Amino acid sequence: MSTPMSAREWGVLFVLCGAIFLEGIDVAMLNVALPSIRADLGLSTAMLSGVVSAYVLGYGGFMLLGGRAADLFGRRRMLLFWLTVFLVFSGLGGLATDGWTLLVARFVTGVAAAFMTPAGLSIITTSFAEGPRRNKALLVYAATGAAGFSLGLVAGGLLTAIGWRWVFFAPVILSALILAAALPLIPRARASARGRTDVAGALTITVAMLLLVYAVVRLERPAEGWGWTAAAFAVGLAALAAFVAIERRSPAPLLRLGILANRPLVRANAAALLFAGSFFAFQFLITLYLQELRGWSSLETGLALLVVAIDAILAPTLTPRLVARFGNARVIAGGLAFATLAYVLFLPVTDDWTYAAMFPTMITLGLAFALTYGPLTIAATDGVAEHEQGVAGGLLNTNFQFGAALGISLATAVHVATLTTASPLTAIRTALLVPAIAAASALVIALTGLRKPEVAPEPQLVA
């Protein structure tokens, strides 16, 4: 039985939950505001897509580097510095009068998120002892991040009704409040950097991730041809191979390859990639269905998805009890089974479905998030040495982000390809196979972890 968390520990957790909530709500609000931004600034479709892709490139390209930087140069320092950068460039986005300013602002905001997110996660995993206390903190943290995305859809609709610039100014205010609370609450710790750093590894993995994410984003634009997409994939994979070769010989590797021998960690990251891909693909498709096919407003769409945020209640209350009783691996598998079911339930959608017909998918998806997101975070950081917690967090968030980009791009590609020969409803139905297959694949990966009991004992959680 663990002792209750102290007031200071709750304060630290509150600040870090604020940071991950900020990241989730920022992304969701922008997605809702895109049509208004296009109308006001007169952006082309390519530029509007570039604004979204710029954040993904910055986030996905620098996440692993951000995780290692937290380990080497100080988690508190990285969190505070990049939170400040996030604040400044969110403000720049709100002041933008052209597409290029907005594109730069979103790219740098994505880079800032790539550094501050693994820093925040690693502060939790190093501030709370492994076991019940850390697990409970991680579940609260993960639930807050997921709730930020769900609530951001509604908040984005409300703020866009006032003016799309508030979608950028609201994160500035929230960032300032989090920063003010973080300064006295986040404990100071000595940076662990010493000796030489792995500059070659940092350069090659950043180039690899930037090119691979760029190639994935281009999948949703088949009309532009496949030449640049294939070239980006080829060079990105070559850079990734070079990174592996460098890490094998480096005396101070950016990513110690031995960490990948942790099978639960690898399974968690693979499942996270597919789980994120499935949800973001579904969110993109249901937005098309509700707004373009059914004529719903952005606020109505956000409210329709609001029930998914039930995980913010269930994750810190129900999930710890389930993990204590059934173990992390079984809870993850159960959550992914719910996710697969949610998407399958939506496959027969028609052009006149009532919300009552959609509700089973929404509530089941909320349960899936409650059972999957937090436990995946636990599985991806359990058994990892303290000096590598930033890297573990960076790996997990890289896979979440890469999965999100991949899911949206594949769903878009299938939707666009089907539209050439079928109706809009048929195109959406066909593309809905992407999230269903991705979630089912994640479930298969999770089930492989149940074939043999884990070496480590199951954690005993106290709600």
Side-chain angles (χ1 to χ4, degrees):
M1 172 128 359
S2 64
T3 57
M5 288 194 289
S6 67
R8 184 173 185 84
E9 287 176 322
W10 276 114
V12 170
L13 184 57
F14 174 79
V15 169
L16 298 175
C17 284
I20 195 65
F21 181 84
L22 170 67
E23 190 273 328
I25 200 171
D26 175 78
V27 173
M29 289 195 302
L30 179 68
N31 290 342
V32 175
L34 287 174
S36 297
I37 295 173
R38 183 216 286 265
D40 190 30
L41 299 184
L43 303 185
S44 66
T45 300
M47 178 59 76
L48 193 69
S49 176
V51 168
V52 177
S53 301
Y55 184 89
V56 175
L57 284 170
Y59 200 157
F62 288 86
M63 180 67 75
L64 189 57
L65 179 58
R68 189 55 177 157
D71 289 333
L72 290 175
F73 306 120
R75 299 173 179 106
R76 181 181 187 272
R77 181 185 303 165
M78 289 292 101
L79 178 70
L80 297 180
F81 175 78
W82 288 103
L83 182 58
T84 304
V85 174
F86 191 99
L87 183 157
V88 171
F89 280 86
S90 287
L92 178 64
L95 298 172
T97 57
D98 60 79
W100 283 106
T101 303
L102 200 57
L103 190 147
V104 171
R106 290 306 292 170
F107 178 77
V108 179
T109 303
V111 174
F115 279 83
M116 75 180 193
T117 301
L121 178 57
S122 60
I123 288 174
I124 290 181
T125 55
T126 54
S127 298
F128 297 87
E130 187 170 331
R133 294 162 71 83
R134 181 191 293 180
N135 291 347
K136 185 170 184 177
L138 287 174
L139 290 172
V140 172
Y141 177 80
T144 306
F149 185 83
S150 302
L151 295 174
L153 297 171
V154 180
L158 291 171
L159 291 173
T160 302
I162 301 171
W164 65 263
R165 295 183 188 278
W166 280 101
V167 167
F168 292 89
F169 293 146
V172 171
I173 297 171
L174 186 55
S175 299
L177 293 173
I178 295 169
L179 193 59
L183 286 170
L185 287 173
I186 301 296
R188 295 180 180 274
R190 271 194 330 180
S192 59
R194 58 182 181 273
R196 51 185 285 187
T197 55
D198 185 13
V199 177
L203 289 174
T204 50
I205 191 59
T206 301
V207 168
M209 292 309 303
L210 282 171
L211 288 171
L212 290 174
V213 173
Y214 172 72
V216 164
V217 169
R218 280 187 60 89
L219 289 175
E220 63 191 67
R221 301 197 291 271
E224 296 181 9
W226 298 105
W228 282 107
T229 304
F233 269 123
V235 179
L237 290 173
L240 190 61
F243 170 73
V244 172
I246 290 168
E247 298 310 278
R248 283 177 173 167
R249 296 193 299 269
S250 174
L254 179 72
L255 172 65
R256 185 180 61 84
L257 298 181
I259 198 174
L260 301 180
N262 183 329
R263 286 180 294 178
L265 178 146
V266 173
R267 279 197 302 272
N269 277 274
L273 184 150
L274 291 164
F275 179 64
S278 70
F279 176 75
F280 279 87
F282 177 75
Q283 186 264 329
F284 168 75
L285 292 169
I286 196 173
T287 299
L288 283 182
Y289 169 72
L290 293 177
Q291 294 191 24
E292 296 192 359
L293 196 60
R294 299 293 299 276
W296 289 26
S297 69
S298 57
L299 180 57
E300 288 172 324
T301 301
L303 290 172
L305 292 167
L306 182 59
V307 70
V308 178
I310 193 176
D311 80 299
I313 300 171
L314 297 180
T317 55
L318 175 64
T319 306
R321 297 178 185 275
L322 294 177
V323 172
R325 180 165 184 177
F326 299 108
N328 217 30
R330 289 183 177 85
V331 173
I332 291 172
L336 292 171
F338 273 122
T340 305
L341 175 62
Y343 303 132
V344 169
L345 287 174
F346 212 83
L347 288 176
V349 64
T350 66
D351 56 9
D352 60 353
W353 258 22
T354 63
Y355 185 67
M358 306 176 207
F359 186 78
T361 289
M362 305 304 175
I363 191 68
T364 306
L365 198 52
L367 290 171
F369 258 102
L371 299 180
T372 305
Y373 194 44
L376 277 176
T377 305
I378 296 171
T381 54
D382 261 358
V384 177
E386 180 173 329
H387 69 277
E388 292 184 313
Q389 284 292 331
V391 168
L395 272 175
L396 178 66
N397 284 291
T398 295
N399 280 290
F400 271 126
Q401 192 65 28
F402 192 76
L406 184 61
I408 293 173
S409 296
L410 289 178
T412 302
V414 172
H415 179 261
V416 170
T418 310
L419 266 179
T420 60
T421 57
S423 68
L425 178 61
T426 300
I428 288 174
R429 279 179 168 175
T430 304
L432 281 167
L433 290 171
V434 171
I437 292 171
S441 301
L443 175 58
V444 171
I445 291 172
L447 290 175
T448 62
L450 300 179
R451 293 178 181 175
K452 297 179 181 180
E454 303 293 345
V455 176
E458 298 290 355
Q460 298 300 307
L461 299 184
V462 177

